[in-house]
């Protein structure tokens, strides 16, 4: 019977650092304009972590909120998955920092690296652990301090990215087996042959830190934006359709669409391609910029707090990111 279990979102939380970087601020840092950024991306401002704030600090705030909303204590958790490409350190992983700070038991603590699709990868993994009957409650987080890996003089990237964290607690439906809340379907993919379009080449085993890495600024994100744009529209549409197809769920019955907040024009292009009514698309990119793996869980939490997303409703999530990875999840909240 155990493998008929389903998993539901029992609580959500999010955290955005206080410090704001506006388009106007960027005008004095690189050759750009508020108008260009708004028109080409939909972004107005983004939050930037304070110098003493690391990724696990952002994740901690979001995690505490999610646990409170789920009415659970850290001791109830069976696992922590942190999706991030900006870990506090290469090792220990960010999930271990969080496990200690939250005061959890000795539980699974793992980072998931799939760039902006990371949260949907992590949520899919957590769902498998719960549906298999192994675990009851898993904390799933997307958390990033992208400002630490963005070249502040590269106008293509410095205008796009922001910092933040979003969290959910995924719980087995054992106490409430009649609950319809569940992850209904999930679709994950990758196309490694396009990895060069978005990468951080320096500091790994192929190119360990040395003077060359420092001189050529290979410790920063390098991006070919226009090429990513096209692939993003195609893969997010594919992942979304695959989720609907797997669950045999009609698109017009979906209540809300939450897409990775990378560029408003990408979101609108997916909406046009799939014929999604604009009023069903949730966005916050104007206030957050692209927070990579944190973008979907932050927007999900904010939409619940605003009473837009309500219990029983169906949400289709889709993301793309470096890799190029992509992911989709259809869930009933
Ligand atoms: O999570 C995944 C992360 N990556 C992405 O999501 C990236 C996806 N791509 C994009 O969002 C867009 O491609 C960008 C926002 C990065 C760029 O927008 P675009 O409409 O594709 O612009 P473009 O690269 O085609 O550049 C158009 C013009 C160029 O000038 P010329 O050659 O036409 O004279 C650029 O040099 O805009 C110029 N430009 C800028 N101008 C003012 C590029 N960046 C800027 C800027 N401010 N920040």
């Amino acid at each position: 019977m155990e493998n008929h279990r389903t998993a539901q979102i029992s609580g959500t939380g999010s955290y955005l650092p206080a410090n704001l970087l506006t388009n106007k601020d960027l005008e004095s840092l690189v050759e750009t304009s508020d108008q260009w950024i708004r028109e080409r991306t939909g972004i107005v401002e983004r939050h930037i972590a304070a110098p003493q704030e690391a990724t696990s600090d952002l994740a901690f705030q979001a995690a505490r909120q999610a646990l409170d909303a789920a009415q659970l204590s850290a001791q109830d958790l069976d696992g922590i998955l942190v999706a991030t490409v900006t870990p506090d350190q290469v090792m220990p992983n960010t999930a271990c920092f969080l496990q200690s700070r939250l005061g959890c038991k000795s539980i699974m603590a793992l980072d998931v690296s799939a760039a902006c699709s990371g949260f949907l990868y992590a949520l899919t993994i957590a769902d498998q652990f719960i549906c298999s009957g192994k675990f009851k409650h898993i904390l799933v987080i997307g958390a990033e301090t992208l400002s630490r890996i963005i070249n502040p003089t590269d106008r293509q990237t410095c205008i796009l990215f922001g910092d933040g964290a979003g969290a959910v607690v995924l719980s087995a439906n054992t106490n409430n087996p009649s609950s319809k809340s569940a992850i209904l379907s999930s679709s994950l993919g990758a196309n490694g042959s396009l990895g060069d379009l978005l990468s951080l080449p320096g500091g790994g085993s192929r190119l360990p830190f040395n003077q060359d890495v420092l001189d050529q600024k290979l410790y920063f994100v390098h991006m070919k934006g226009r090429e990513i744009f096209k692939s993003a529209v195609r893969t997010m549409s594919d992942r979304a359709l695959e989720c609907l197809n797997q669950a045999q769920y009609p698109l017009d019955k979906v209540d809300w669409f939450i897409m990775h907040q990378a560029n408003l024009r990408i979101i609108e292009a997916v909406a046009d391609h799939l014929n999604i009514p604009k009023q069903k698309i949730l966005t916050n990119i104007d206030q957050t910029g692209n927070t990579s793996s944190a973008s979907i869980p932050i927007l999900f939490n904010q939409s619940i707090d605003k009473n837009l997303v309500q219990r029983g409703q169906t949400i289709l999530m889709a993301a793309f990111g470096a890799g190029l990875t992509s992911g989709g999840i259809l869930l009933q909240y």
Side-chain angles (χ1 to χ4, degrees), residues 30-34 36-37 39-41 43 115-117 146 154-161 197-198 221 223-230 232 260-266 290-293 320-322 324:
V30 288
E31 203 185 325
T32 191
S33 68
D34 175 43
W36 191 97
I37 302 172
E39 286 177 5
R40 299 286 183 131
T41 70
I43 301 167
C116 307
S117 315
L146 291 163
D154 173 10
R155 70 173 181 174
Q156 243 223 109
T157 50
C158 76
I159 58 144
L160 290 178
F161 296 98
L197 298 185
L198 185 54
V221 167
M223 184 181 87
K224 294 183 183 139
R226 212 176 307 177
E227 287 92 330
I228 295 171
F229 196 112
K230 288 182 214 148
H260 170 46
Q261 304 291 292
N263 185 323
L264 196 57
R265 284 162 52 225
I266 294 178
N290 179 347
T291 58
S292 189
S293 68
F320 70 95
L324 296 181

Side-chain angles (χ1 to χ4, degrees), residues 294-311:
S295 91
I296 287 181
I298 291 172
L299 178 55
F300 184 39
N301 173 247
Q302 289 179 339
S303 307
I304 291 167
D305 282 354
K306 287 181 188 158
N307 263 331
L308 291 167
V309 171
Q310 294 175 13
R311 285 285 174 197

Side-chain angles (χ1 to χ4, degrees), residues 199-250:
S199 68
L200 193 159
S205 62
R206 188 164 300 283
L207 212 51
F209 273 115
N210 58 25
Q211 199 54 47
D212 252 15
V213 168
L214 293 176
D215 292 345
Q216 294 180 52
K217 297 192 176 359
L218 298 176
Y219 50 88
F220 283 138
V221 167
H222 291 246
M223 184 181 87
K224 294 183 183 139
R226 212 176 307 177
E227 287 92 330
I228 295 171
F229 196 112
K230 288 182 214 148
S231 171
V233 176
R234 197 179 53 250
T235 53
M236 282 210 291
S237 303
D238 288 351
R239 293 281 89 81
L241 289 175
E242 226 171 281
C243 285
L244 293 169
N245 195 30
Q246 262 178 46
Q248 291 292 293
Y249 202 91

